[in-house]
Amino acid sequence: MNREMCRAKIHGATVTEANLYYLGSITIDQALLEAADILPYEKVQVVNLNNGERLDTYAIPGERASGRICLNGAAARHVHVGDKVIVMTFSSATEDEARAWKPRIVFLDERNRMTRAATEE
């Protein structure tokens, strides 16, 4: 049996843009993607702390060190600039792997600068 585990999380990101007329996805500062080990085009779940919305999309890299967090396409309807969001990825793990699982967590300040990274909450 496999379990779905949280693999990585960008915690406390502030939405900097919402672009309805884009093909879709979430644009995330390349440095933040690397810090969280999220690959371009990897499926992510975005949780809006301001309104409780949850949506699935995929990550695309934004300009490095820009602090950019932009919801694109239909996802733009679920956020407002300034909203706080959590971006998560998940992975399948065997029962043994799941017991020792530690997600990668990247914590951000109000300007989307990494304050610390951890493998436990």
Side-chain angles (χ1 to χ4, degrees):
M1 174 177 80
N2 284 340
R3 294 182 182 245
E4 285 294 308
M5 305 296 290
C6 179
R7 189 184 64 70
K9 178 164 72 167
I10 298 174
H11 189 83
T14 303
V15 175
T16 59
E17 301 170 63
N19 184 352
L20 183 61
Y21 300 105
Y22 186 82
L23 295 176
S25 66
I26 180 172
T27 304
I28 301 174
D29 177 325
Q30 177 71 39
L32 299 177
L33 289 177
E34 290 170 2
D37 190 27
I38 298 172
L39 296 176
Y41 307 105
E42 185 171 353
K43 181 180 178 178
V44 295
Q45 182 176 82
V46 181
V47 179
N48 187 327
L49 297 175
N50 293 79
N51 63 20
E53 293 273 354
R54 289 178 175 259
L55 61 99
D56 291 336
T57 189
Y58 60 93
I60 59 173
E63 182 182 345
R64 183 179 299 282
S66 65
R68 187 171 186 205
I69 303 289
C70 178
L71 277 292
N72 300 301
R77 296 236 185 245
H78 299 275
V79 299
H80 294 286
V81 171
D83 282 358
K84 290 290 192 181
V85 296
I86 299 170
V87 179
M88 298 176 281
T89 63
F90 297 86
S91 185
S92 182
T94 66
E95 189 71 26
D96 289 339
E97 290 170 330
R99 299 274 172 212
W101 198 269
K102 303 247 189 281
R104 176 84 172 152
I105 305 165
V106 174
F107 295 90
L108 305 183
D109 66 13
E110 64 283 344
R111 293 183 6 196
N112 293 333
R113 306 288 189 237
M114 185 172 71
T115 58
R116 68 184 174 99
T119 54
E120 295 182 22
E121 294 186 58

